[in-house]
């Protein structure tokens, strides 16, 4: 049910002709209230797309009436004209919905450095508005796909009648500081923007921010959380925050499983770190090691590459106390040869690496993928 | 002529049986004096191989009589036994040459986490010592190859009768903090260890440290510079330092051209940076962007991926002042669309990216390679 699982929201997804192949490429999500509270988290890349610059301003008010999303073009590195196009898109949505443009968030995804075909996009907004429906969440999720092979949605309901639902797109350029992706979450819980902001930041910090498919960071990453308040229920913060985290975690896992060209999903669990920051730093370093990612692709439990990656970090550890397990086999003990690497069974898609720093009690988990010839093919043959 | 181009050195390269395929795998380089001055630079990876830990100690005296190098095993992450093996290797060299073990540097390269076959290595040292020759430089260079497709040597001569020569191995895991590689440089200039150290650090800082094939950092990187003094000439520091830099630059270029699976050599030149550190940070970020490396492989001048990479750095710049040229075409101007990307000719092996930060007067050049299916194949099928 995606973004329309929560009451008070309508959505649509259509083919506006932005994509040359005629696939759906424009989505609209509308908050019908009574509340229009919202929070947003954006890419930390300093080169930000026009829609990110726009939506960051919109979110400062903590109010969002509608979100318009397009695939088929990122509208990034497009200069003043690109920003004007984003502005015009928001104005068009405001006009057809009878809202203010300052409450319309805009998201774009696709190739960088190309202007959007506004002659197709603006009429598309009218078409999408005509098709808004309480059952439109699925179509909206489909319309934001780029190289995604599947559309991604998730829903969690609170025990007393409120719901958090959402949709995501993303299949490459997943990295900390946000996976490259667009995510819209909706809830009918009755909460204000500050509470939404707190819950959203807490959730993305341990979910999307720990999904690192290829180490690359996008110019367009956006995660929005909109609350309609139409359930009339104000849940306990902890229960609500957990629901948001669960939806983000579910969508994050779907992103990893659909990463471009990947044949393995790799769970890098760093344990016994001196601090959570150390655990995250080590996890990211392991997750970004191309040689290790190739080895995992080849089903080779090459733990030396794990140690090489750990060794490049500033985390607290002693080299001769490091332990590494791959799929349950402690192939490295005390920084040296451990159990027989032949015991490691790597036939399945999920691979579990545990790096024990023996330096404290903190831990963190980073998800990544293997590096494959298909990844190279997809990203050398496809301009994205 | 490699390490025996300079007077006062002998070398040998033999097949000791460390490699199961019978290829040459053991090299010996001996400084016959009258000086035995030396300097060394080692990996900054905190997980260091036993031979690195040993050789770092040896170099503290500024004196090296001989270097023994093996391929076929890195002797990294091998615990106390690995260190004992390195020590025993140095002792064996000392015994056969009649020198002190504390003046014998040891280098190893190959798979991490496997003990060396000492029953083959130690007899190999005797064989190599028997074959030491003033013409042995080429054979030594061949014996240290791993996945290298060619052996690498370079020589520069000063105008008044002194010489710097050297050999290198390395074809993958090339990254800052030293490309993964072993390098031995020799000179017959009459200089002490402090001068050698200064010249070597200055040279590696702008050559090997700026070669970043795949972002991975080795446990075994070692660059040694040995001086015999046998020319009797003490060159001006600047002239000598330039010769060392030129030899390092030449060898570094050979490493890039032989990087595993690469089809393109990419020169990333960052100009108009506020500081050299900014230029290096931006250059490394571009050089490590897998999506860009795939695009270059596909001969796609995807400058959006260059801007995405720049945006992840902390360097001083304004996004709307960035300019990017690919092979001479300014495809990005003022952070937006520049000249027609169709004008970029990417048919040749060398690709030249210029990133203009418009923030100052400093610059730096980082070399990298494209990311290819062959890279994935070599590093998933070959345990290294």
């Amino acid at each position: 049910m995606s973004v329309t699982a929560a009451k008070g929201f309508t959505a649509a997804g259509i083919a506006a002709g932005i994509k040359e192949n005629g696939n759906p490429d424009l989505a609209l999500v509308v908050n019908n209230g009574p509340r229009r509270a919202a929070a947003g988290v954006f890419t930390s890349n300093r080169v930000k797309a026009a829609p990110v610059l726009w939506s960051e301003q919109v979110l400062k008010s903590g109010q969002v009436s509608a979100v318009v999303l397009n695939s088929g073009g990122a509208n990034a590195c497009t200069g003043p004209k690109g920003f004007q196009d984003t502005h015009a898109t928001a104005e068009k949505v405001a006009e057809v919905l009878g809202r203010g443009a300052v409450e319309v968030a805009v998201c774009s995804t696709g190739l960088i450095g190309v202007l959007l075909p506004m002659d197709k996009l603006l009429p598309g907004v009218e078409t999408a508005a005509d098709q808004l429906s309480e059952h439109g969440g699925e179509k909206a999720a489909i319309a934001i796909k780029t190289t995604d092979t599947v559309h991604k949605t998730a829903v969690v309901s609170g025990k007393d009648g409120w719901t958090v639902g959402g949709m995501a797109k993303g299949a490459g350029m997943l990295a900390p500081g946000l996976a490259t992706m667009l995510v819209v979450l909706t809830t009918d819980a009755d909460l204000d923007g500050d509470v939404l902001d707190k819950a959203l930041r807490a959730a993305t910090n341990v979910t999307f921010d720990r999904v690192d498919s290829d180490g690359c960071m996008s110019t367009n990453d956006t995660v929005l959380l909109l609350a309609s308040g139409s359930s009339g229920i104000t849940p306990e913060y902890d229960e609500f925050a957990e629901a948001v985290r669960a939806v983000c975690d579910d969508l994050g896992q779907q992103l990893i499983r659909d990463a471009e060209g990947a044949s393995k999903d790799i769970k890098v669990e760093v344990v016994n770190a001196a601090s959570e920051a150390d655990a995250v730093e080590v996890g990211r370093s392991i997750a970004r090691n191309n040689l290790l990612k190739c080895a995992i692709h080849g089903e080779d439990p090459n733990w030396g590459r794990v140690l090489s990656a750990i060794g490049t970090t500033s985390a607290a550890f002693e080299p001769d106390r490091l332990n590494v397990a791959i799929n349950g086999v402690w192939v490295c003990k005390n920084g040296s040869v451990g159990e027989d690497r032949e015991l490691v069974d790597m036939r399945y898609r999920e691979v579990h690496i545990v790096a024990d720093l023996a330096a404290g009690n903190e831990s963190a988990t980073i998800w990544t993928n293997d590096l494959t010839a298909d990844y190279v093919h997809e990203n050398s043959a496809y301009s994205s």
Side-chain angles (χ1 to χ4, degrees), chain A:
Chain A
M1 289 277 282
S2 171
V3 289
T4 47
K7 289 183 288 290
F9 292 91
T10 50
I14 64 141
I18 304 166
K19 287 180 180 167
E20 290 184 1
N21 64 9
N23 284 345
D25 49 21
L26 189 75
L28 190 57
V29 180
V30 177
N31 183 351
N32 299 301
R35 264 191 192 275
R36 291 168 188 176
V41 179
F42 300 91
T43 182
S44 53
N45 198 310
R46 291 168 60 202
V47 175
K48 295 180 204 298
V52 169
L53 295 169
W54 170 267
S55 298
E56 281 182 334
Q57 292 303 313
V58 168
L59 265 294
K60 281 188 177 164
S61 69
Q63 296 269 105
V64 170
S65 286
V67 185
V68 57
L69 310 93
N70 76 273
S71 52
N75 198 7
C77 305
T78 44
K81 178 66 171 72
F83 192 81
Q84 287 167 20
D85 287 347
T86 288
H87 187 183
T89 304
E91 289 285 359
K92 184 71 181 177
V93 172
E95 174 197 326
V96 299
L97 297 179
R99 314 276 174 99
V102 294
E103 288 191 9
V104 178
V106 182
C107 301
S108 299
T109 178
L111 184 61
I112 296 175
V114 178
L115 288 165
L116 292 172
M118 296 303 288
D119 58 328
K120 303 204 167 129
L121 199 155
L122 294 181
V125 168
E126 293 189 20
T127 307
D130 287 344
Q131 297 187 14
L132 282 168
S133 154
E134 291 176 3
H135 308 288
E138 207 79 14
K139 283 188 174 171
I142 291 168
I144 59 175
K145 285 169 60 184
T146 52
T147 57
D148 304 65
T149 63
V150 294
H151 63 284
K152 289 125 185 157
T153 67
V155 176
V156 168
S157 291
K159 60 182 181 297
D160 46 4
W162 54 272
T163 291
V164 178
M167 64 180 185
K169 69 79 41 179
M173 288 180 76
L174 304 169
L178 290 188
T180 293
M181 56 183 178
L182 303 179
V183 178
V184 180
L185 308 175
T186 57
T187 182
D188 45 23
D190 193 12
L191 297 165
D192 66 25
D194 289 345
V195 174
L196 299 180
D197 188 71
K198 184 178 172 192
L200 183 62
R201 286 179 194 282
T204 56
N205 186 45
V206 295
T207 56
F208 297 123
D209 268 357
R210 295 188 182 176
V211 164
D212 190 348
S213 176
D214 68 2
C216 298
M217 189 192 293
S218 157
T219 51
N220 288 57
D221 298 321
T222 303
V223 183
L224 301 174
L225 171 57
L226 279 56
S228 68
S230 71
S231 72
I233 298 164
T234 302
E236 291 294 318
Y237 173 77
D238 287 349
E239 193 192 352
F240 177 72
E242 171 54 24
V244 175
R245 191 206 60 76
V247 170
C248 289
D249 190 48
D250 188 340
L251 291 172
Q253 291 297 311
Q254 293 181 51
L255 293 172
I256 276 287
R257 287 200 295 274
D258 196 28
E260 286 174 352
S263 71
K264 302 282 187 190
D265 304 330
I266 309 171
K267 180 183 184 179
V268 180
E269 187 180 358
V270 181
V271 300
N272 299 323
S275 68
E276 186 179 353
D278 273 10
V280 170
E281 183 191 359
V282 168
R284 287 207 207 297
S285 179
I286 295 169
R288 291 181 168 192
N289 189 283
N290 277 354
L291 287 168
L292 176 66
K293 289 154 76 87
C294 287
I296 299 296
H297 177 54
E299 304 192 340
D300 170 15
N302 196 322
W303 60 266
R305 294 176 180 177
V306 177
L307 260 68
S308 289
I310 297 172
T312 64
T313 71
S314 62
F317 70 84
E318 294 300 325
D320 60 1
R321 294 193 65 199
L322 295 171
N323 305 299
V324 174
I326 301 179
N327 285 353
V329 180
W330 288 93
V331 284
C332 171
K333 291 182 179 175
N334 296 319
S336 183
V337 187
E339 292 172 30
D340 187 352
R341 65 168 82 196
E342 298 297 322
L343 298 174
V344 181
D345 183 352
M346 297 188 70
R347 287 172 297 170
Y348 302 101
R349 183 170 173 108
E350 187 169 322
V351 175
H352 186 193
I353 297 173
V354 181
D356 172 9
L357 302 188
N361 297 305
E362 299 300 321
S363 62
T365 297
I366 305 286
W367 284 88
T368 190
N369 296 106
D370 56 342
L371 183 56
T372 71
D374 285 347
Y375 173 89
V376 173
H377 177 71
E378 227 177 294
N379 287 297
S380 56
Y382 165 79
S383 229
S384 64

